Amino acid sequence: MPPTTPNTPASRDSRPSPADEEADTPPGERGDGVAYVVPPSDLTRGELRRIVTRDGATADETALLSRDELLALAKARRLRGLEVSGAGAVEARARDFLAIFSRLDRTVALPPGAELGLHLEQVGEWAIVRATPEVGAVRVGDVLAAVNGHPVLLEEYAETFRR
C-alpha cells in the first residue's frame, strides 16, 4: 500500500473544517466578530444598572438610582457601554443610523409649478438630486420623498413623475 500524504483522501480528517461549519451558521451566530458597543448614553436604565453591577456595584446600591444617576456612575467608572453581538449588534447599529437619519430628514415645500432647476438622477427607484442652483433649500444628494404631499419613496421611479 502506498504511503498516504496530506493530499490523499485517506489522510483527511473526517470532521468538518471550521470554515465548513461557519458556512452553515447564520451571520451573528458564528462568533465572526459581529459585535458593537452601545455607549452608556444610549442605554436604558436596566442596561445601565446591568453594566454598573458587573463592574462591582451591588444590586442594592443601584436599585433606587434613576437613569441619570446610573449614567453618571457609569461615566465616573469609565465604563465603555454594553457590548452586544450577533443580531443584537446589527439592531443596535441600525438604531444609531436611524437616529442620525432622522436628524437629517427635512421637508422643503415649494409652490406648485415652481421652476427649480434641479437635475435628478435615477438611483435604483429613487430620484436623487445631482445638481441644483446655488441658491435654494434643496441640496445635491437629497432624495425626492414626496410629490404634492404623496410619499413616493416606495414607488417605482417612473410612477414618481406621473403626479
Side-chain angles (χ1 to χ4, degrees):
M1 177 173 200
T4 60
T5 63
N7 294 331
T8 61
S11 67
R12 280 195 185 157
D13 192 351
S14 62
R15 292 174 296 179
S17 73
D20 292 337
E21 287 178 1
E22 279 192 17
D24 295 335
T25 308
E29 294 179 15
R30 60 173 83 139
D32 57 1
V34 178
Y36 178 67
V37 177
V38 180
S41 58
D42 293 343
L43 297 176
T44 65
R45 181 185 175 279
E47 291 166 334
L48 284 166
R49 191 167 175 229
R50 186 178 333 144
I51 66 168
V52 170
T53 53
R54 282 185 191 161
D55 192 56
T58 66
D60 290 338
E61 291 173 330
T62 61
L64 299 176
L65 296 179
S66 70
R67 183 189 178 284
D68 291 338
E69 292 167 325
L70 287 166
L71 180 58
L73 185 57
K75 287 182 178 180
R77 290 175 177 239
R78 299 182 196 274
L79 300 178
R80 288 183 38 215
L82 180 64
E83 184 171 316
V84 291
S85 60
V90 173
E91 182 181 329
R93 194 67 177 141
R95 275 194 309 245
D96 286 352
F97 283 126
L98 288 174
I100 292 168
F101 292 150
S102 70
R103 289 193 301 263
L104 297 175
D105 188 27
R106 61 194 173 78
T107 301
V108 177
L110 303 164
E115 286 293 323
L116 305 175
L118 300 177
H119 296 272
L120 301 174
E121 178 181 328
Q122 181 177 356
V123 177
E125 293 299 322
W126 290 1
I128 308 286
V129 177
R130 287 295 174 213
T132 182
E134 299 232 358
V135 180
V138 180
R139 299 179 298 219
V140 171
D142 282 351
V143 176
L144 183 63
V147 175
N148 296 330
H150 181 77
V152 295
L153 279 177
L154 300 178
E155 291 185 5
E156 292 183 16
Y157 183 80
E159 283 296 312
T160 298
F161 298 101
R162 290 194 180 130
R163 303 207 171 274

